[in-house]
Amino acid sequence: MLVFKIALIGIAGAMLAMVTKQFKPEYSTLVLLAVCLFLIGYLTSNLKEVLNFVQTLQKRIPISSMYIKILLKLLAIAYICQIASNLCEDLGYHSISFQIEPSVNYLF
């Protein structure tokens, strides 16, 4: 159910940015950034459930917590780089996007 909410918010934000771009192109960038920041905030508010699941999994499978911390940090960095790359590409700065994108591929 959470995925549908996120998808709907994203689609509504994209449509709002498209409408705003027709009348005030300079504000469409701000709308796009606001929607992305809202989605990041919304997703991080549910992060506690994911961390509880990881702790439950760690209790069942004997894995060092150091490895789990490294894995979560790598996922966070990859997610942030992917968002930044997509934003730069949407704004028309393809050269900056292509510089950010290899950092995501380098991690994985």
Side-chain angles (χ1 to χ4, degrees):
M1 198 63 166
L2 180 65
V3 175
F4 292 121
K5 288 180 184 178
I6 292 168
L8 288 175
I9 292 169
I11 291 170
M15 291 175 66
L16 182 63
M18 284 177 26
V19 170
T20 308
K21 192 173 193 174
Q22 292 176 354
F23 299 108
K24 293 277 190 176
E26 61 272 7
Y27 291 138
S28 68
T29 304
L30 295 175
V31 169
L32 183 66
L33 288 172
V35 170
C36 288
L37 288 175
F38 177 77
L39 284 174
I40 289 171
Y42 187 71
L43 288 172
T44 55
S45 68
N46 296 322
L47 194 60
K48 189 171 185 172
E49 294 176 25
V50 174
L51 293 176
N52 287 337
F53 174 73
V54 169
Q55 287 176 350
T56 304
L57 193 63
Q58 185 181 5
K59 290 176 185 175
R60 292 183 183 179
I61 302 172
I63 300 174
S64 175
S65 64
M66 180 182 70
Y67 296 124
I68 293 176
K69 287 180 184 178
I70 291 171
L71 179 64
L72 290 176
K73 286 180 183 180
L74 282 172
L75 287 173
I77 291 169
Y79 189 65
I80 290 169
C81 288
Q82 189 67 43
I83 289 172
S85 174
N86 290 342
L87 277 173
C88 290
E89 192 169 342
D90 288 344
L91 295 174
Y93 297 105
H94 299 287
S95 59
I96 297 173
S97 173
F98 292 142
Q99 295 299 318
I100 296 172
E101 191 70 34
S103 63
V104 176
N105 296 332
Y106 177 74
L107 289 173
F108 298 103

